[in-house]
Amino acid sequence: MADDGALTPFPGFKRGRIDDEIVNPELYASEEIHDVYTRLRREDPLHWTQPEGFRPFWSVTKQADILEIERQHPIFINSARTYLSPIAGEEWIKSMTGDTHLFRTLVDLDDPIHMKLRALTQGWFMPPNLRKLEERIAGLAKEHVDHMQSLGSECDFVKEVALWYPLRVINSILGIPRSDEKFIMKMTQEIFGPGDPDVAAESSNVSEDGASMTSDQGVDLLQTAQELFAYFGAITADRRANPKDDLSSIIANGKIDGAPIGEREAMSYYIIVATAGHDTTSSTASGGLLQLMRQPDQLMKLKNDLSLLPNAVEEMIRWVTPVKHFMRTATKDYDLRGKTIRKGDGLALFYWSGNRDEEVFDQPFEFRVDRDVKKQVAFGHGVHLCLGMHLARMEIRALFAELLPRLKSIELAGEPKNTRANFVSGLKSLPVRFEFT
């Protein structure tokens, strides 16, 4: 079943063992990970992977296999292992929580509790309800494009626009005041990029001796979790005493089988909405703009025909795929591609690879605003399909619908930089030079 990861390299592809490369956050930051994905799709799309310092797992790199595994959710479960973490990190979290999860979010759970928790807010995130928010979201998009224009002719699009716009959308939905948005931003960056040196440098949660941290992280995630639990615990108490017309009130007063939602489940619910709900949208918006700048013909095509915007947004989502993978664990033996996945084996579903699958997409490494993206797996599939996908699409459409007609020109003003992370990642800096009409 296992090998040493020494597949035949492509010309010029002379780094280390592929098993170590596929978990290496540096390759995600440089986007060289696509060399690894492409090689696996061609040579060994279901690859038994044994990186140093990690529990072994199957690397799933073809879209058809990702979809098959996602559809078989009773067989391939989330709760045993949700994302790739070094053994030392898993043991550290287990010593703190009793399992491999820092939180108990929807992505960490299986049915029936997963679906019961999801049902609390699912109607809220469906298009009929979200249409009520269109005017509010359009107003926030205009506010942030106005801010960009006020900065003159240059800015860092990530730090001035892309980070704050979706954060303010989510905060307004949760009923979180703007005075708290810097706290939410800091918590999000620590959760999704704890190994990124810039995040660690900006964090106040750095341990001098590293004793309370996972082996490769500069952020004390336990302290981050404690701060978030305290913050949202106060919101829960307030919304139970004074319910409002916001998502926080729905979570705080939610019931499962007639009983109030558990404290850890409630806190985790807020956290996944407040953090994942804006970070991934930010990455897609900034990554999409970068591709438009790199391909001026696509930028002009979209500016000249905004009816292409829904297609373009879907292409941006495919291109960026902010959530790079999720893990599953087999509950029984399963045959796939002539190999037997054994009960207890872990599987990493590499969505970014699935969204570059040559069997699904014509010229997958070309960014096309008019591509009809019928299949993309950035939002997952099956029972764990992203709860906020309709909101994310609405936010990105609103931002570009406001920005593009007002832009006379835009170009790079420096080197873009990605976060150093193999789970959730995207641009952390995008210097741009622009002129408004």
Side-chain angles (χ1 to χ4, degrees):
M1 176 163 48
D3 60 33
D4 65 359
L7 301 181
T8 304
F10 294 135
F13 190 78
K14 298 179 180 178
R15 291 189 300 266
R17 293 175 66 249
I18 200 165
D19 290 27
D20 295 324
E21 291 172 344
I22 203 160
V23 299
N24 186 346
E26 298 288 355
L27 299 189
Y28 287 79
S30 68
E31 299 190 12
E32 292 175 276
I33 192 64
H34 285 300
D35 293 340
V36 177
Y37 290 153
T38 300
R39 181 176 163 195
L40 285 175
R41 286 195 305 273
R42 291 183 184 180
E43 299 182 19
D44 193 12
L46 183 64
H47 176 65
W48 183 245
T49 312
Q50 300 181 87
E52 184 176 352
F54 287 73
R55 285 192 286 153
F57 57 90
W58 293 97
S59 289
V60 185
T61 53
K62 294 289 288 183
Q63 189 178 114
D65 298 340
I66 291 171
L67 294 175
E68 180 173 345
I69 291 164
E70 294 264 35
R71 283 193 291 264
Q72 304 284 346
H73 61 93
I75 298 174
F76 299 105
I77 61 172
N78 288 41
S79 57
R81 194 177 181 187
T82 305
Y83 55 89
L84 288 167
S85 178
I87 294 171
E90 291 184 336
E91 292 301 319
W92 175 77
I93 291 175
K94 192 173 182 179
S95 72
M96 300 294 172
T97 67
D99 59 35
T100 57
H101 304 296
L102 196 58
F103 307 112
R104 280 176 61 82
T105 70
L106 295 178
V107 299
D108 299 312
L109 300 171
D110 299 302
D111 289 341
I113 185 62
H114 158 261
M115 193 53 69
K116 291 176 180 179
L117 284 168
R118 185 182 177 101
L120 293 178
T121 63
Q122 184 153 4
W124 206 95
F125 283 102
M126 291 297 102
N129 187 66
L130 291 177
R131 279 194 283 272
K132 303 173 187 175
L133 302 176
E134 283 182 345
E135 186 175 343
R136 187 194 309 183
I137 291 172
L140 287 169
K142 183 179 185 304
E143 175 186 336
H144 286 80
V145 175
D146 287 347
H147 171 68
M148 180 178 173
Q149 185 170 12
S150 75
L151 296 172
S153 60
E154 290 191 18
C155 76
D156 188 317
F157 185 79
V158 171
K159 296 176 181 178
E160 296 291 346
V161 180
L163 281 177
W164 298 104
Y165 162 63
L167 176 65
R168 284 173 179 154
V169 171
I170 291 295
N171 282 0
S172 70
I173 289 169
L174 284 168
I176 294 174
R178 285 201 177 188
S179 57
D180 294 344
E181 63 186 11
K182 288 185 179 180
F183 168 78
I184 299 296
M185 179 68 73
K186 178 174 177 288
M187 296 295 100
T188 298
Q189 292 178 331
E190 289 178 6
I191 288 171
F192 290 132
D196 187 281
D198 291 337
V199 173
E202 293 174 7
S203 173
S204 62
N205 296 336
V206 178
S207 168
E208 292 183 1
D209 60 6
S212 63
M213 299 180 292
T214 52
S215 60
D216 65 342
Q217 294 176 342
V219 170
D220 185 342
L221 286 173
L222 182 61
Q223 183 174 333
T224 300
Q226 290 171 336
E227 290 184 46
L228 283 166
F229 271 50
Y231 179 82
F232 286 112
I235 286 183
T236 295
D238 176 73
R239 295 306 194 273
R240 286 176 177 169
N242 307 288
K244 299 180 180 179
D245 183 22
D246 59 28
L247 192 59
S248 290
S249 296
I250 293 175
I251 297 171
N253 296 286
K255 292 187 176 182
I256 303 295
D257 296 330
I261 186 174
E263 179 184 13
R264 191 177 175 198
E265 286 76 11
M267 298 308 104
S268 298
Y269 219 133
Y270 291 117
I271 288 164
I272 195 171
V273 172
T275 57
H278 88 263
D279 190 71
T280 52
T281 305
S282 166
S283 294
T284 302
S286 54
L289 181 62
L290 175 58
Q291 289 310 120
L292 291 174
M293 289 188 292
R294 284 176 168 168
Q295 296 179 232
D297 61 319
Q298 297 299 303
L299 174 61
M300 290 309 301
K301 183 180 288 188
L302 187 55
K303 274 179 61 69
N304 292 335
D305 184 3
L306 288 180
S307 71
L308 293 173
L309 197 49
N311 281 46
V313 168
E314 210 67 14
E315 177 74 338
M316 292 175 189
I317 293 166
R318 179 190 77 87
W319 190 267
V320 175
T321 312
V323 179
K324 308 308 183 195
H325 77 269
F326 270 123
M327 294 291 296
R328 299 290 187 265
T329 300
T331 60
K332 66 177 187 179
D333 290 0
Y334 190 91
D335 292 332
L336 183 65
R337 288 194 179 270
K339 301 181 181 182
T340 299
I341 298 165
R342 299 296 182 188
K343 179 180 178 180
D345 284 355
L347 303 95
L349 310 182
F350 287 108
Y351 301 118
W352 213 8
S353 177
N355 280 338
R356 294 292 193 280
D357 192 334
E358 298 83 357
E359 291 186 2
V360 179
F361 303 102
D362 174 52
Q363 299 297 315
F365 289 93
E366 288 185 7
F367 179 85
R368 303 174 184 168
V369 297
D370 56 356
R371 184 191 295 274
D372 186 7
V373 189
K374 288 187 170 65
K375 291 183 179 180
Q376 55 88 3
V377 289
F379 292 125
H381 185 72
V383 298
H384 284 281
L385 187 66
C386 176
L387 188 62
M389 64 180 182
H390 300 300
L391 177 61
R393 288 177 172 122
M394 182 184 293
E395 291 178 63
I396 301 165
R397 285 197 305 266
L399 180 62
F400 282 95
E402 180 67 33
L403 175 63
L404 294 178
R406 295 171 60 177
L407 275 179
K408 184 175 180 181
S409 64
I410 187 166
E411 62 184 11
L412 281 170
E415 188 66 27
K417 294 181 181 179
N418 287 308
T419 50
R420 181 185 177 275
N422 64 18
F423 176 38
V424 177
S425 67
L427 285 165
K428 62 181 177 182
S429 179
L430 182 60
V432 295
R433 184 178 301 109
F434 53 85
E435 185 179 356
F436 278 74
T437 57

